[in-house]
């Protein structure tokens, strides 16, 4: 992805922060229990979250009682996040691109980013995260992928809608089984700032109605960045398929991966 594409696409989330908040699923609770244990979090820990969105990962972390500073690019996402986290005085949300953000002098015990680290400039993300961690502190990166499973027939048939209305879709695309997605610490390793990475994987399914499935599609940057006529035709094709062939209900299978490592230098 070019720098320009990254900057255009990463700005799409804030175009409808309320929709993002209502439509995007969060992450399995077990992930936060594992993260707390692997990072050695206590109520005294200082956590920096990069790209908090409307607080999908911030809330379960805030419930652990640690002090959280979240840096979020979009003022609208930050407004919704502040509202969602209004009961947690231990959370502060700052609006800035992480690349330009001035960190406080006191280092952090954990830097965490959920479905957001890939939006940060690749020349900066690992080095700046390491710079603001204490020695031995943890960098944790969370991603969810859509994997094979769920309503399998729907995800085969829906490819036809993408091939008709989304010019970027590779022909014949099929979902990857979770087992084929391997653990990857190459960026951690290349940065030369972290020890060996640890991995945790969580597979789960989310049920959607036609409306909630179209809503979640509208939180994805590739959908939002389609020309309007294509986007409308794509959503109508997909909605018709769910209504007609699946009685208005589909299930989507996710693999959430947690990758973390401790700072060495
Ligand atoms: C896909 S959303 C993930 C939001 C949330 N963490 C979640 O798990 O659903 C990516 C978020 O990263 C934010 N973001 C993108 N680039 C950023 C940057 N350079 N600095 C800070 N936040 C950024 C976006 O505004 C958006 O809220």
């Amino acid at each position: 992805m070019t720098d320009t594409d990254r900057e255009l696409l990463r700005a799409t989330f804030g175009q409808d922060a309320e929709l993002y908040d209502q439509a995007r699923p969060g992450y399995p609770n077990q992930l936060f229990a594992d993260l707390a244990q692997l990072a050695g979090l206590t109520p005294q820990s200082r956590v920096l979250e990069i790209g908090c969105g409307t607080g999908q990962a911030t809330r379960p972390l805030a419930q652990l009682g640690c002090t959280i500073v979240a840096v979020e690019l979009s003022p609208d996402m930050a407004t919704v996040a502040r509202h969602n986290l209004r009961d947690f005085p231990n959370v502060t949300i700052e609006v800035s691109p992480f690349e330009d953000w001035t960190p406080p002098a006191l280092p952090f015990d954990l830097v965490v980013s959920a479905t957001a680290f890939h939006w940060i400039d690749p020349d900066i993300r690992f080095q700046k995260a390491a710079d603001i961690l204490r020695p031995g502190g943890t960098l944790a990166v969370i991603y969810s992928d859509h994997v094979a499973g769920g309503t399998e027939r729907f995800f085969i048939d829906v490819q036809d809608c993408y091939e008709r209305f989304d010019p970027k879709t590779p022909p014949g695309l099929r979902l990857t089984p979770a087992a084929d997605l391997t653990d990857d610490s190459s960026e951690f390793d290349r940065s030369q700032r972290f020890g060996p990475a640890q991995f945790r994987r969580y597979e789960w399914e989310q049920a959607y109605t036609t409306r909630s499935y179209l809503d979640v599609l509208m939180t994805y940057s590739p959908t939002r960045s389609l020309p309007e006529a294509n986007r409308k035709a794509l959503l109508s094709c997909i909605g018709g398929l769910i209504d007609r062939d699946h009685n208005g209900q589909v299930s989507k299978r996710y693999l959430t991966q947690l990758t973390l490592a401790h700072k060495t230098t």
Side-chain angles (χ1 to χ4, degrees):
M1 191 187 309
T2 65
D3 289 354
T4 313
D5 283 349
R6 192 177 58 249
E7 290 194 7
L8 284 174
L9 289 174
R10 76 187 191 182
T12 59
F13 303 105
Q15 289 168 356
D16 194 341
E18 294 285 352
L19 177 77
Y20 190 101
D21 187 51
Q22 166 235 304
R24 271 282 176 127
Y27 305 96
N29 289 336
Q30 186 60 42
L31 180 151
F32 297 101
D34 292 345
L35 176 56
Q37 190 246 320
L38 291 165
L41 293 183
T42 69
Q44 284 69 47
S45 298
R46 285 171 47 76
V47 176
L48 174 75
E49 184 184 1
I50 303 170
C52 66
T54 60
Q56 287 69 15
T58 326
R59 192 181 178 85
L61 286 168
Q63 283 165 343
L64 299 171
C66 24
T67 298
I68 302 179
V69 178
V71 183
E72 168 52 50
L73 175 75
S74 155
D76 288 352
M77 297 291 260
T79 298
V80 178
R82 284 190 190 112
H83 177 76
N84 288 342
L85 292 152
R86 61 194 180 282
D87 294 335
F88 293 96
N90 49 327
V91 178
T92 312
I93 294 162
E94 300 188 13
V95 175
S96 170
F98 175 64
E99 293 88 333
D100 301 342
W101 179 68
T102 305
L106 205 55
F108 290 91
D109 301 295
L110 169 68
V111 173
V112 59
S113 188
T115 323
F117 211 48
H118 59 303
W119 294 115
I120 312 301
D121 183 336
D123 292 335
I124 295 177
R125 55 195 178 210
F126 278 85
Q127 297 303 331
K128 187 161 178 175
D131 289 345
I132 61 186
L133 280 170
R134 65 163 169 81
T138 306
L139 172 61
V141 178
I142 298 164
Y143 286 113
S144 287
D145 280 298
H146 179 194
V147 293
T151 311
E152 293 188 355
R153 186 73 249 165
F154 166 68
F155 290 107
I156 292 169
D157 293 344
V158 80
Q159 177 61 16
D160 178 57
C161 298
Y162 283 96
E163 289 185 18
R164 284 164 62 198
F165 302 115
D166 179 354
K168 288 192 180 145
T169 290
L173 188 68
R174 290 288 176 271
L175 289 170
T176 307
D180 292 355
L181 291 177
T182 51
D183 296 334
D184 179 9
S185 64
S186 51
E187 256 202 288
F188 277 88
D189 300 339
R190 270 200 308 277
S191 75
Q192 301 188 332
R193 305 286 303 272
F194 295 92
Q198 293 173 276
F199 306 95
R200 295 290 183 275
R201 299 161 73 92
Y202 312 86
E203 282 187 59
W204 51 285
E205 285 192 16
Q206 175 84 29
Y208 291 97
T209 62
T210 305
R211 180 74 264 153
S212 65
Y213 192 71
L214 298 183
D215 282 350
V216 82
L217 291 182
M218 278 302 290
T219 69
Y220 297 146
S221 57
T223 316
R224 295 200 74 87
S225 58
L226 278 173
E228 193 182 348
N230 289 53
R231 190 173 59 240
K232 279 190 172 155
L234 176 69
L235 296 181
S236 158
C237 183
I238 295 173
L241 186 61
I242 302 176
D243 281 339
R244 199 175 52 248
D245 294 357
H246 300 280
N247 208 19
Q249 294 260 338
V250 288
S251 176
K252 180 171 174 178
R253 191 163 185 79
Y254 291 93
L255 170 69
T256 298
Q257 291 178 281
L258 166 66
T259 307
L260 61 81
H262 302 297
K263 171 176 161 170
T264 49
T265 59

